[in-house]
Amino acid sequence: MASQPTAQLHHGRPIDPALPRRLWRDAAIGAGNLVAWASRRAGRGSGASIRGQVITRLYPMMFAELVAGRRIAAVSGTNGKTTTTHLLTAAAEAAWGGRQVVTNADGANLREGIASALSQNVKAPVAVLEADEQIVPDLIAKGRPEVLIMLNFSRDQLDRHHEIASLGRKWRTALTAAGEKAPTVVANVHDPLVTWSAEAAGRVIWVDMGLGGWTADAALCPNCGTILAYDADGSWNCPGCELGQHPADYTVRGDEVSGPEGAHWTFDLQVPGRFNRGNATCALAAAIEMGIDPQTALRAMSTVKAPAGRFSIGAFGDNRARLLLAKNPAGWAESLLVMDSDPVVLAIDSAIADGTDVSWLWDVEFEKLAGKHVICTGPRAQDLAVRLSYAEVDHEVIGSINEAMARPYEGTVDVLATYTAFLNLCKMGGVEW
């Protein structure tokens, strides 16, 4: 007969067998915090990313252990993740208190960034997590989210990401594998790939985000490959199979939101644009699903002003600039609609975080800027200038971002930038988050 394992004793008392592992994990977190402090002291940023790299290297189980055992609301998709996460976090903190909720507010959304954020409040029972599209399957398997917001799929950094069809397939597979433990999914009805992926979940809350205009990344049915049919209002269906747009449980038009059973609410958001009203509708649906009173959620969401620097006002000498971030054609298409100033500044870079291929510039309808003067700046300003020439948009090139922001402007100038340029502008303009 096999012998039973003998418990270790310390002064006659059993030692918790998990104690050495917890000490290992705590030591890794301590080392990560020290490196993060050094990063801040050196002016290299918040230190959140380097903390995540250190703690996951020293303790490889960090991500899996820290996402387990919490109520998790996850947010993913190509565009809108950070703002939606901030909106939902505000609602959760208003409902349950700040120390009861942990989030990766800085937008570090890979495993290392999520582990870094969770390590700063290990005991928080609720986590609102922005998740990069590639790690969603792992988060579903290890964290068992209560709610998953699926916003959209669009081409983005194709030199790093797989094609979006591959990502959607992985999401669907992960939801199928989770079975009854799959999260409730809050899904965008206007995105066919999101719809096909979300249908694998046991419960789906369908949201009409009021964004039926972008179809460039959704020409073919993800289920059967047939060319999709679109109506004038952006609604869609597949002529070749049963996949089609679902009736919405929540719908937003302007600031007015309708919900189940005739419910109706009005937004008072401080973040601009119809895309953010759509993001807020998904956040509201997720908050209600988690048991948060809708009025509490709405009041809290109205306090969100500049999530991770987006839409913040930076100071550049005597100039003031509103800073906007867009990373791909779909994001630029929506952001151009909220550019109010004349002139406007467009800053383009192609570092690793931006995606090194800028051919996507030709998929953006810059013709919407007709009648405005555009200042092209950043390392890829000349590429942008060529595109604007074909769009017949008045423009000039000032390659240095510093010089472009030193130009005198009347009033607040709108600046739309890719990721690396946006971070540089935030630092130059004294924007912190």
Side-chain angles (χ1 to χ4, degrees):
M1 176 183 252
S3 61
Q4 297 296 318
T6 303
Q8 290 181 296
L9 299 178
H10 178 68
H11 296 305
R13 295 180 180 178
I15 296 176
D16 182 350
L19 181 59
R21 196 162 178 164
R22 285 203 301 270
L23 291 174
W24 178 12
R25 188 181 75 182
D26 291 347
I29 293 173
N33 288 338
L34 182 61
V35 173
W37 173 84
S39 177
R40 292 192 298 271
R41 291 282 293 179
R44 301 293 297 273
S46 69
S49 293
I50 189 66
R51 180 200 293 122
Q53 294 174 39
V54 168
I55 66 177
T56 53
R57 180 67 63 86
L58 294 177
Y59 189 75
M61 301 77 73
M62 189 71 73
F63 173 80
E65 288 191 8
L66 291 184
V67 297
R70 304 176 192 258
R71 295 184 67 191
I72 294 178
V75 181
S76 196
T78 309
N79 294 309
K81 294 187 293 289
T82 300
T83 299
T84 305
T85 300
H86 277 250
L87 291 166
L88 182 53
T89 299
E93 290 180 341
W96 298 309
R99 289 300 299 170
Q100 301 301 305
V101 180
V102 62
T103 186
N104 51 337
D106 60 354
N109 56 26
L110 295 170
R111 292 175 187 83
E112 296 82 0
I114 290 174
S116 177
L118 296 177
S119 73
Q120 300 306 287
N121 192 349
V122 173
K123 295 182 179 180
V126 178
V128 182
L129 301 177
E130 174 184 337
D132 182 87
E133 299 94 293
Q134 293 201 58
I135 74 160
V136 167
D138 204 24
L139 183 59
I140 291 173
K142 292 182 170 66
R144 299 299 186 195
E146 182 175 336
V147 178
L148 170 62
I149 297 177
M150 298 169 59
L151 293 169
N152 47 66
F153 280 115
S154 182
R155 287 164 295 147
D156 185 39
Q157 301 182 43
L158 291 181
D159 52 338
R160 179 174 76 88
H161 278 311
H162 298 293
E163 284 285 349
I164 57 175
S166 174
L167 290 171
R169 192 177 305 113
K170 290 177 180 178
W171 286 22
R172 182 181 174 94
T173 300
L175 289 169
T176 300
E180 294 181 354
K181 295 182 179 179
T184 294
V185 171
V186 177
N188 173 10
V189 298
H190 282 293
D191 191 306
L193 185 52
V194 164
T195 298
W196 179 72
S197 303
E199 284 183 344
R203 171 169 162 73
V204 184
I205 299 170
W206 300 103
V207 178
D208 181 344
M209 300 174 65
L211 299 172
W214 183 260
T215 60
D217 294 315
L220 301 179
C221 174
N223 187 53
C224 72
T226 301
I227 296 176
L228 294 171
Y230 284 90
D231 295 335
D233 63 354
S235 59
W236 60 275
N237 69 84
C238 177
C241 69
E242 70 281 359
L243 188 68
Q245 183 169 315
H246 288 261
D249 300 298
Y250 289 79
T251 300
V252 61
R253 293 293 182 268
D255 289 325
E256 305 302 315
V257 183
S258 58
E261 299 179 359
H264 183 271
W265 306 279
T266 301
F267 281 139
D268 181 24
L269 300 174
Q270 298 195 54
V271 287
R274 64 175 188 173
F275 54 97
N276 279 325
R277 292 191 289 271
N279 294 335
T281 305
C282 289
L284 177 63
I288 293 172
E289 178 68 14
M290 295 186 76
I292 300 173
D293 175 73
Q295 293 302 327
T296 299
L298 289 167
R299 285 192 297 270
M301 290 193 294
S302 71
T303 67
V304 175
K305 296 180 180 179
R310 293 150 175 81
F311 319 110
S312 59
I313 303 297
F316 300 84
D318 294 331
N319 290 326
R320 286 167 55 84
R322 184 174 64 150
L323 306 179
L324 292 85
L325 169 66
K327 300 175 289 184
N328 49 63
W332 277 76
E334 289 297 321
S335 296
L336 291 177
L337 299 176
V338 299
M339 303 288 281
D340 296 329
S341 68
D342 189 7
V344 298
V345 179
L346 304 183
I348 307 294
D349 204 341
S350 59
I352 295 298
D354 306 296
T356 56
D357 180 358
V358 296
S359 61
W360 58 265
L361 290 170
W362 293 89
D363 295 326
V364 179
E365 192 179 351
F366 286 107
E367 288 78 2
K368 294 176 180 177
L369 294 175
K372 292 182 182 289
H373 181 68
V374 177
I375 294 174
C376 310
T377 190
R380 303 304 291 265
Q382 293 290 352
D383 297 82
L384 175 61
V386 172
R387 173 67 185 93
L388 292 177
S389 295
Y390 278 86
E392 300 183 348
V393 173
D394 182 44
H395 64 278
E396 63 179 301
V397 175
I398 304 177
S400 165
I401 293 178
N402 283 320
E403 292 180 16
M405 299 313 297
R407 171 77 64 87
Y409 300 105
E410 293 185 10
T412 300
V413 63
D414 284 332
V415 182
L416 179 57
T418 56
Y419 189 73
T420 302
F422 176 80
L423 293 181
N424 290 335
L425 285 160
C426 286
K427 188 173 182 179
M428 291 166 54
V431 173
E432 298 180 355
W433 64 87

